[in-house]
Amino acid sequence: MNDAGSDPSSPDSGSCGCSDDHGNHVHESHDGGQRGESENGDIVADGAGNRDVVRLSVPDMDCPSCAGKVETSVRKLDGIDAIDPQVTTGTLTVEFDATETDAAAVENRVEKAGYAVEDDSSEVTLSVPDMDCASCAGKIENALDGVSGLRTYDTRPTTGTVVVTTDPSASVSDVTAAIETAGYDVVGTSADETDGGSLDSESVWRSSRALKTWTSGVFVALGLLFEFLLVGQNATVVGAGGLLSAGTIEITIADVAFLLAVLVGGQAIVTNGYYSLRNRNLDIDLLMSVAILGALAVSVGFGRSLYLEAATLAFLFSVAELLERYSMDKARNSLQELMDLSPDEATVKRDGEEETIPVDAVTVGDVVVVRPGEKIPMDGTVADGESAVNQAPITGESVPVDKTTGDEVFAGTINEGGYLEVEVTSDASDNTLSRIIDMVEEAQGNKTEREQFVERFAAYYTPVVLAFAVLVAVVPPLFFAEPWVTWFVYGLTLVVLSCPCAFVISTPVTVVSGITSAAKNGVLIKGGNHLEAMGDVEAVAFDKTGTLTKGELTVTDVIPLNGNTEEDVLRCAHGLESRSEHPIGEAIVAEADGANVTKHEIDDFESLTGKGVRADLSGTTHYAGKPGLFESLGFELNHVHATDGGVAAAATTRDLCERNDCLDLLEDAVPSLQSEGKTVVLVGTEDELEGAIAVADEVRDDAKAAVQRLRDLGIDHLVMLTGDNERTAKAIAEQVGVDEYRAGLLPEEKVEAIEELDSNVDGTAMVGDGINDAPALATATVGVAMGAAGTDTALETADIALMADDLSKLPYVYDLAHDANGVIRQNVWTSLAAKAALAVAVPFGLVPIWAAVLVGDAGMTTAVTGNAMRLSRIRPENLRE
């Protein structure tokens, strides 16, 4: 989550409300103007109209002549008010009219003068676990606005972190100090390599805040005991005249207990309210402080006893805060579980000896030892050993994958059985698991449309409800002679209900739950906006090769002819294709090797371009190639004899002569195989046709089931896009059950097909390998890449990455996203409806103040969080046949 639900149009929001296209907060400068960011520089507004200032680092500008050249170039822009090149520091400060130019244009003019603009900023993540709601984030944002040298910040209540980008003039200690002035402790930063502390939801109930809350609760119970049960013993302790009225102040034993409850339980609330007021942030802490102090003020000033109400507010709101923190920690723990996948230490072989060191000290090229049951600490390749590796933490695969020398392994996966030595191929900060965690954290910054709507709505909600509270508290007593105390309490109840926390947090907590749940099941969703979009798509387009098919040619059929056996056909085909570099030849060789056929001696190999190959096998000339090659050799392909029991013989033989094992290759067998998307290779000598071999890129085992599952989930338009020929495309399309296919497409034609498809439906997902299909993936509403675990390009290109080469994850991610959208709608509208119903009921005396706290605040916050966590129950189905 980025900003705290503020809107620039709301004077009470306490935040600038500026954001980029992704919802990332662009903060204000300390003088009240806006501060944003160019690609490599810092922008500061001077607070006067539309004049902005950009500061750029230009290290090569190190002499007056250089400065003059840069200044002359920048002066060519319209709207430039002032230029200050500092050659001693290599910095350039430009003041300009934002209506006529921008920071990017200034940077471009500097580069046109021949000087590079360097990005000298640094990014630091600070762990602020007590920042667990939108109002907390808003308070911190206001405090950060006054930090000099701070370029951008991103507050994320759902993870309890603040990500800041600073220039060299700012220090982490300045940022930390600013956050702490807002009333929040910074428990760790990425700069000092702390982990920010583990998230222990149970510790919430043992914290100092919890102890004060329980003590406050004891005093409330004691006060209630004397107030309603031990009435005779509830003696008056203090009796005096009211400070502002003729009424008498009587403080009983019960009132003393209530005051002690306020003193203990309300301390943290009023302290936070002070920080809110100091940072000009109208949030729940400030509102509750006003309510509690208001109740006490009426009690002392007018002699009207509202000590019970003040104590109830202090105690119940503290309970509400604990519940909110507990619920938020539950959501945060889902991400912490990802972080905990990687071990902290690794056993490394150096100079022939084993040494256990922190994973951060392991370097590329080191060999780590992984024993049975241990987690693999780093990405790498197996240098020695064999084992089954559980890759579920990364790819979501339910079955362990066999690994042997040369195979790739990932950090965080588990060595199930054997001993492995792994040569490290990437640093700890750059391995697959680290990139996944980074992307999941960054994904929370990409706000959904619904989240942005809720934040805009929240900016108006609080002022409107507060205005209503004032009217309720004042109008009835003034104009209708109603009792002041009663209606003042009603006003306080509405003040409690004016906080929008429950529905502001309802969307981001759902996004976090959905994204982290997907990551634990081998699906990387790179933003809440992509999660939302995936749940709303109406069409899915598939690439064929490597997506619906396995992406590798394999032998599917071997048809021996004229008395030869399958082994005879494969042996001759192996000899002919062993020197071929064609993928079909490689598939045939692999099949023959798998069958352990004996080998021929090969001489005089020759490639017959466009037809096939020729070679002498053990002294006899053999051919392998297209049917046309054998027609040119004089063979009668419409009348050959299949070997008894040969593959496909029974289905394709005809009575062409006195024998009943005749085949018409040209009219029956070959067309039949080709209609299934297979390529047919004939094998024989100059005198005899020995057999036929069919090769194909086989359809994935789960492709048909995945397509059907998507259709069952409500996707009505399923399309296959391929550059393959019409015949093969038609065959694959029929096998997997898509509604439409388009063949012979170039990459740019796939883009056009996506654009056309998207114009006819409301949202399209494109599924491919993330590399060759990058343009089409980028064009679609959502781009989904398969098998991305070992592919940096796919991880970077796709909006959603299926880490395993498993098509069955596609229906899962659609189901998850669709349900997430439903949960967001439920959370937003239920919380809004509950707040509205309570607010309307307050003037009728139907909502006691404790109900406003427990139901309207704590209850709704806990409910929306619990509802969001239901997404973790959705699991991928095994669709493999």
Side-chain angles (χ1 to χ4, degrees), residues 8-23:
S9 60
S10 172
D12 302 307
S13 66
S15 295
C16 70
C18 305
S19 60
D20 63 13
D21 291 339
H22 298 294

Side-chain angles (χ1 to χ4, degrees), residues 332-407:
R332 291 176 183 176
N333 276 335
S334 60
L335 179 59
Q336 186 67 33
E337 289 172 7
L338 284 178
M339 298 178 178
D340 293 340
L341 288 175
S342 181
D344 297 325
E345 296 181 327
T347 303
V348 181
K349 290 186 72 173
R350 291 178 176 173
D351 301 324
E353 296 184 358
E354 294 185 5
E355 177 184 0
T356 301
I357 61 175
V359 290
D360 289 338
V362 179
T363 60
V364 175
D366 279 341
V367 175
V368 297
V369 174
V370 188
R371 293 183 169 81
E374 294 181 346
K375 291 181 179 178
I376 295 174
M378 307 286 286
D379 281 5
T381 56
V382 178
D384 187 26
E386 295 181 357
S387 181
V389 174
N390 181 357
Q391 296 190 150
I394 301 297
T395 66
E397 294 171 283
S398 58
V399 179
V401 179
D402 292 332
K403 299 289 184 179
T404 187
T405 303
D407 288 341

Side-chain angles (χ1 to χ4, degrees), residues 541-551 697-704 706-707 719-721 732-733 736-738 767 786 807 810:
F542 299 89
D543 177 49
K544 179 184 75 70
T545 305
T547 302
L548 292 174
T549 65
K550 296 177 180 178
D697 180 8
E698 286 189 296
V699 171
R700 291 179 181 273
D701 296 336
D702 53 1
K704 183 176 181 179
V707 169
V719 182
M720 184 183 76
L721 308 178
I732 300 299
V736 300
V738 294
V767 189
M786 287 186 56
L807 194 59
L810 186 62

Side-chain angles (χ1 to χ4, degrees), residues 6 18 35 88 147 167 236 242 350 363 512 665 675 681 819:
S6 58
C18 305
R35 177 181 295 170
T88 54
V147 179
D167 63 28
T236 299
R350 291 178 176 173
T363 60
V512 169
L665 291 179
S675 68
V681 176
D819 281 8

Side-chain angles (χ1 to χ4, degrees), residues 717-802:
H717 209 69
L718 299 160
V719 182
M720 184 183 76
L721 308 178
T722 179
D724 213 335
N725 62 71
E726 173 77 17
R727 184 180 60 207
T728 301
K730 181 180 179 182
I732 300 299
E734 289 176 350
Q735 288 183 57
V736 300
V738 294
D739 304 308
E740 179 186 346
Y741 70 90
R742 301 188 186 185
L745 299 179
L746 297 174
E748 58 269 24
E749 291 174 324
K750 288 184 180 180
V751 170
E752 293 172 1
I754 291 293
E755 291 174 342
E756 179 185 339
L757 184 62
D758 201 42
S759 66
N760 296 323
V761 297
D762 188 13
T764 302
M766 172 67 192
V767 189
D769 59 15
I771 303 174
N772 298 326
D773 302 295
L777 264 63
T779 303
T781 311
V782 183
V784 183
M786 287 186 56
T791 310
D792 292 344
T793 305
L795 281 175
E796 296 297 331
T797 302
D799 300 320
I800 297 175
L802 310 184

Side-chain angles (χ1 to χ4, degrees), residues 652-696:
T652 57
T653 55
R654 297 197 307 179
D655 294 328
L656 299 178
C657 61
E658 66 276 5
R659 298 173 57 175
N660 62 1
D661 57 357
C662 298
L663 278 178
D664 186 338
L665 291 179
L666 291 181
E667 296 295 331
D668 291 331
V670 172
S672 175
L673 293 168
Q674 289 176 337
S675 68
E676 298 173 8
K678 301 174 182 179
T679 300
V680 179
V681 176
L682 301 184
V683 180
T685 66
E686 294 178 332
D687 304 317
E688 181 185 47
L689 192 59
E690 297 176 334
I693 298 176
V695 177

